[in-house]
């Protein structure tokens, strides 16, 4: 009925979505990393990181040291992997840093995981970011939600319910 | 005519009073002006548009390609947020109604407290003369939560007369 009133109400929903997305985007630009916060999905880095740990990444470093824990993405595979740098050297012709990684809890290094024919990761092209901090276990919520089909609906229901009950603004 | 509200919830009272004011003032012969509300809406929706553009860009382009555009969008978003903050704090300042009547204008501001039935009303006319009033909203709602429009109408009428007589002094 009242257009301005409806627009104002709709805007408050828009603020919630837009501010959280722009915060994420700002953080991405600040860290120079397209996903600055990731959740560990596998146990390959135990006992350093468990499944469900939240990691904070930073990608403004020029090079990585041996011992750094990095998150990398292999072209064609969309799942990022968190592993430790085992060896590093520089390509003499391009000057780019090349890394060999391994999961602390794995028996062998990561060569089988790399793109076919590659024996090293390229620091500038493949590495998403270096781990600079973490929160233990808290990310388990997101694993639970993405792996349990009922959890998703449960959470949506909870959100809908809370938006019905609360009118605080 | 109207729905009852929960008189113990300040946000509900605020919403009910905000929505009732245009009718009260039209009974007093004023026509509402929307300059402040429209500015606010334009500012707010521009923010949402920037965020939406950033979101779409993020979906369509790979990270490295979209970075320069994202930098511009995030910068614009931050500047506009600052403008909006300034606008809310120094221009709007809790204004809930603005109206004109022949050659007079009226601007009503309201400040509510948390967990209190007392609130502060300021009424300003064209000549910049204003009334600062502390009152309680228990006067304007009955126990069941129905708004007492006539009491509210008479109260504003009295205040406007007081403001008018202040002018002639």
């Amino acid at each position: 009925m009242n257009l301005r009133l409806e627009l104002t109400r709709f805007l408050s929903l828009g603020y919630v979505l837009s501010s959280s997305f722009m915060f994420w985007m700002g953080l991405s630009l600040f860290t120079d990393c397209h996903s600055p916060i990731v959740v560990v999905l596998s146990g390959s880095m135990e006992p350093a990181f468990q499944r469900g740990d939240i990691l904070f990444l930073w990608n403004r470093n020029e090079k990585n040291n041996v011992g750094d824990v990095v998150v990398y993405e292999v072209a064609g595979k969309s799942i990022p992997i968190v592993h430790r740098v085992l060896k590093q050297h520089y390509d003499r012709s391009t000057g780019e840093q090349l890394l060999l990684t391994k999961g602390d809890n794995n028996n062998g290094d990561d060569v089988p995981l790399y793109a076919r024919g590659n024996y090293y990761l390229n620091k500038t092209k493949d590495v998403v970011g270096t781990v600079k901090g973490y929160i233990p276990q808290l990310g388990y919520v997101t694993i639970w939600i993405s792996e349990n089909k009922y959890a998703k609906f449960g959470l949506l229901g909870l959100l809908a319910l809370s938006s019905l009950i609360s009118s605080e603004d | 005519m109207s729905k009852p509200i929960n008189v113990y919830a300040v946000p509900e009272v605020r919403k009910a009073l905000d929505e009732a004011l245009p009718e009260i003032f039209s009974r007093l012969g004023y026509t509402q002006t929307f300059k402040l509300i429209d500015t606010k809406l334009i500012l707010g929706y521009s923010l949402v548009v920037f965020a939406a553009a950033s979101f779409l860009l993020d979906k369509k382009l790979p990270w490295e390609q979209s970075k320069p555009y994202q930098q511009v969008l995030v910068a614009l978003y931050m500047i506009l947020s600052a403008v909006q903050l300034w606008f809310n704090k120094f221009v709007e300042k809790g204004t809930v109604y603005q109206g004109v009547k022949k050659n007079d204008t009226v601007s009503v501001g309201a400040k509510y407290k948390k967990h209190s039935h007392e609130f502060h009303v300021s009424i300003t006319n064209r000549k910049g003369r204003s009334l600062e009033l502390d009152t309680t909203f228990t006067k304007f709602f009955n126990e069941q939560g129905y708004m007492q429009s006539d009491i509210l109408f008479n109260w504003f009428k009295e205040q406007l007369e007081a403001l008018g007589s202040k002018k002639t002094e």
Side-chain angles (χ1 to χ4, degrees), chain B:
Chain B
M1 144 201 131
S2 59
K3 277 187 288 181
I5 58 151
N6 174 6
V7 283
Y8 299 102
V10 177
E12 276 194 40
V13 171
R14 184 172 62 195
K15 215 176 113 213
L17 285 176
D18 284 359
E19 286 171 13
L21 282 184
E23 203 213 311
I24 300 282
F25 276 89
S26 79
R27 273 166 77 187
L28 286 162
Y30 286 89
T31 320
Q32 190 169 9
T33 51
F34 296 103
K35 224 162 103 189
L36 270 183
I37 300 176
D38 287 347
T39 316
K40 232 178 118 172
L41 282 173
I42 289 168
L43 274 175
Y45 275 97
S46 324
L47 279 175
V48 172
V49 165
F50 285 144
S54 170
F55 181 76
L56 284 178
L57 214 64
D58 193 46
K59 286 272 162 284
K60 295 277 174 208
L61 283 182
W63 170 244
E64 287 299 327
Q65 280 179 42
S66 69
K67 224 152 61 176
Y69 307 110
Q70 296 288 17
Q71 275 165 346
V72 173
L73 282 172
V74 170
L76 281 173
Y77 188 90
M78 276 157 75
I79 292 167
L80 214 61
S81 299
V83 170
Q84 196 191 38
L85 222 69
W86 169 83
F87 183 84
N88 286 347
K89 209 168 161 63
F90 297 106
V91 182
E92 192 199 24
K93 286 188 285 189
T95 304
V96 289
Y97 178 86
Q98 283 190 314
V100 285
K101 179 191 187 179
K102 285 178 216 149
N103 48 14
D104 195 18
T105 65
V106 71
S107 170
V108 181
K111 279 195 192 103
Y112 297 83
K113 294 174 200 157
K114 261 188 180 177
H115 317 302
S116 168
H117 56 88
E118 288 168 341
F119 70 116
H120 182 88
V121 180
S122 61
I123 307 173
T124 312
N125 67 8
R126 168 171 249 166
K127 301 207 163 137
R129 292 204 172 79
S130 63
L131 282 180
E132 302 289 333
L133 305 150
D134 282 306
T135 183
T136 158
F137 53 67
T138 48
K139 273 198 284 196
F140 307 127
F141 292 88
N142 68 10
E143 211 172 333
Q144 282 78 39
Y146 286 97
M147 181 183 285
Q148 307 299 295
S149 303
D150 285 333
I151 298 178
L152 192 63
F153 172 78
N154 287 329
W155 188 80
F156 271 112
K157 201 174 161 192
E158 273 169 33
Q159 302 313 329
L160 284 173
E161 276 160 11
L163 189 65
S165 63
K166 202 177 169 186
K167 188 162 55 178
T168 56
E169 274 169 21

Side-chain angles (χ1 to χ4, degrees), chain A residues 52-63:
Chain A
D53 289 359
I54 294 176
L55 307 180
F56 298 95
L57 308 184
W58 178 255
N59 196 32
R60 288 194 178 274
N61 49 349
E62 293 279 303
K63 61 189 194 77

Side-chain angles (χ1 to χ4, degrees), chain A:
Chain A
M1 46 160 220
N2 184 339
L3 184 66
R4 284 184 176 89
L5 205 66
E6 298 304 318
L7 282 175
T8 306
R9 277 181 194 166
F10 185 68
L11 193 57
S12 59
L13 176 73
Y15 279 147
V16 175
L17 298 175
S18 60
S19 63
S20 46
F21 183 76
M22 286 317 254
F23 176 76
W24 174 258
M25 197 38 83
L27 195 65
S28 298
L29 289 173
F30 175 65
T31 57
D32 194 23
C33 172
H34 64 76
S35 48
I37 301 171
V38 293
V39 174
V40 179
L41 293 176
S42 80
S44 66
M45 278 301 282
E46 282 184 26
F49 297 124
Q50 256 95 39
R51 207 168 125 78
D53 289 359
I54 294 176
L55 307 180
F56 298 95
L57 308 184
W58 178 255
N59 196 32
R60 288 194 178 274
N61 49 349
E62 293 279 303
K63 61 189 194 77
N64 275 115
N65 297 319
V66 169
D68 282 353
V69 179
V70 296
V71 174
Y72 65 90
E73 246 169 12
V74 176
K77 294 179 192 169
S78 59
I79 295 168
I81 298 168
V82 193
H83 279 174
R84 196 182 296 276
V85 177
L86 197 66
K87 289 176 182 169
Q88 62 93 25
H89 71 278
Y90 290 89
D91 186 321
R92 203 173 283 165
S93 53
T94 59
E96 286 173 321
Q97 191 184 22
L98 299 174
L99 310 169
L100 177 69
T101 54
K102 176 186 173 295
D104 286 359
N105 200 25
N106 289 356
N107 289 324
D109 59 32
D110 287 354
V111 174
L113 297 174
Y114 298 162
R116 191 170 279 271
N118 278 17
Y119 293 95
Y120 297 100
L121 288 177
N122 188 313
K123 157 73 180 112
T124 41
K125 283 182 195 142
D126 298 325
V127 172
V128 177
T130 307
V131 178
K132 288 287 171 188
Y134 81 112
I135 304 175
Q137 300 299 320
L138 206 66
Y140 222 96
V141 184
T142 61
I143 295 181
W144 183 64
I145 288 165
S146 60
E147 288 183 3
N148 186 324
K149 56 179 174 181
Y150 300 112
K152 226 174 265 177
F153 296 118
L155 194 81
L156 278 177
L158 217 68
L159 282 176
L161 210 70
S162 76
S163 73
L164 281 179
I165 291 169
S166 72
S167 64
E168 305 276 331
D169 47 345

